[in-house]
Amino acid sequence: MIQFFDAPVLGIESSCDETSAAVTVGNKVLSNVVSSQADLHRKYGGVIPELASRAHVEAMIPVITEALQTANMKIGDIGAIAVTNRPGLIGALSVGVSASKALAWAHKIPLIGVHHLEGHLLSVFANQDVPPKLPAIALIVSGGHTEVVLVSGIGDYKILVETLDDAAGEAFDKSARLLGLPSASGIEVQRAAIGANPKRYSLPIALPGDDAHFSFSGLKTAVLRLVEREGESLNKNDAAASVQHAIVEALVTKTIRAAQSVGCHSIWVVGGVSANESLRTKMKSACDSIGASLFVPDFQFCTDNAAMIALAGSARLAKGDRSDFDLDCLPNNPL
Ligand code: KG4
Ligand code: ZN
């Protein structure tokens, strides 16, 4: 059973290209404001760290103000501040961490630094009346990470499956770009795949016999070859459906095998790619077929957001963890 902090928590997230602030009480999310920089970075084809930091500086206080207003609270009502301090873009993280230190110091309230992936993990608790069961097998699947983790408690994580190269989100994004979809993101692949034929093009599902690893770089190369080979005659919708099929199959198969190997009947899917409808549907039927329960966050808690950071911080605070004012930002940090 996971306990949460007994006072309102203000969560702050700025690890990449979303500035976000949220207020939670227990596992209830009172507000979750996300200001995305996607438009700013689109023309460069990727996140430009320097631009991201500056945009966080601009957005941070307005986003915090809106999160407090929506929650119908003043800063004086907040009992603690939780902030992503690792891993992520160092300049981007520094903006959220500096703002958090200033608020915690001025209002004499506890501060807790949160691991971004622990945030994604705990996002399954957001607003759930029936708390997700532990121990659990969690598939963390985002733009930077693809891991299957055995979760036995807060901070008690064992990685069972990891990627040898690209993350699944990266594979979605790069495929979207290669197919010339409106933007390089997984949601465009999902959109293009609606009603299309996933069997039209055969794309590799890597490492079928290796239960400890994912690999998605071969898929990227296969999509590039497909685009070159088919040229003008490529059916983009069928290609998108085929990409989605290859990624989702790998994710579902290896997650289910990991759950079976440890005899776990609670499966969580978290991170940006957990918003994918095909992944949610296929994981649900795979869980049903082995008698496991599936827990996925609401869509607003799948991609980067501060509610998940507030929840993870809240669980850490309830255990007695606190950060000092010399809290640092770390670009790379395993879960
Ligand atoms: O968790 P997240 O917001 O940021 C990271 O921590 O990386 O995940 C972003 C990733 C991107 O690769 C994005 O394309 C992917 O999640 N994503 C999706 C969908 N929505 C977001 N991928 C597939 N289908 C979606 N519906
Ligand atoms: Zn994330």
Side-chain angles (χ1 to χ4, degrees), residues 275-289:
N276 185 269
E277 299 275 10
S278 169
L279 175 60
R280 292 165 89 102
T281 309
K282 291 201 171 139
M283 193 68 89
K284 177 75 177 93
S285 33
C287 285
D288 288 347
S289 72

Side-chain angles (χ1 to χ4, degrees), residues 15-18 116-117 120 141-145 168-173 184-190 244 271-277 302-305 308:
S15 64
C16 190
D17 61 344
E18 257 98 34
H116 183 80
L117 292 187
H120 276 302
V141 65
S142 70
H145 295 267
E170 223 174 322
F172 266 115
D173 299 350
S185 75
I187 187 101
E188 295 295 347
V189 176
Q190 172 174 311
Q244 180 169 264
V273 180
S274 70
N276 185 269
E277 299 275 10
C302 291
T303 45
D304 288 349
N305 68 90
M308 68 184 196

Side-chain angles (χ1 to χ4, degrees), residues 214-263:
F214 293 106
S215 169
F216 293 104
S217 63
L219 175 63
K220 183 179 61 191
T221 314
V223 174
L224 176 63
R225 297 281 169 270
L226 177 69
V227 170
E228 288 170 351
R229 195 179 68 229
E230 297 287 320
E232 288 297 302
S233 61
L234 180 77
N235 181 314
K236 284 190 187 179
N237 299 89
D238 289 347
S242 304
V243 165
Q244 180 169 264
H245 173 74
I247 297 174
V248 168
E249 276 300 307
L251 295 174
V252 172
T253 309
K254 287 177 199 266
T255 304
I256 295 292
R257 280 210 211 119
Q260 287 179 308
S261 76
V262 294

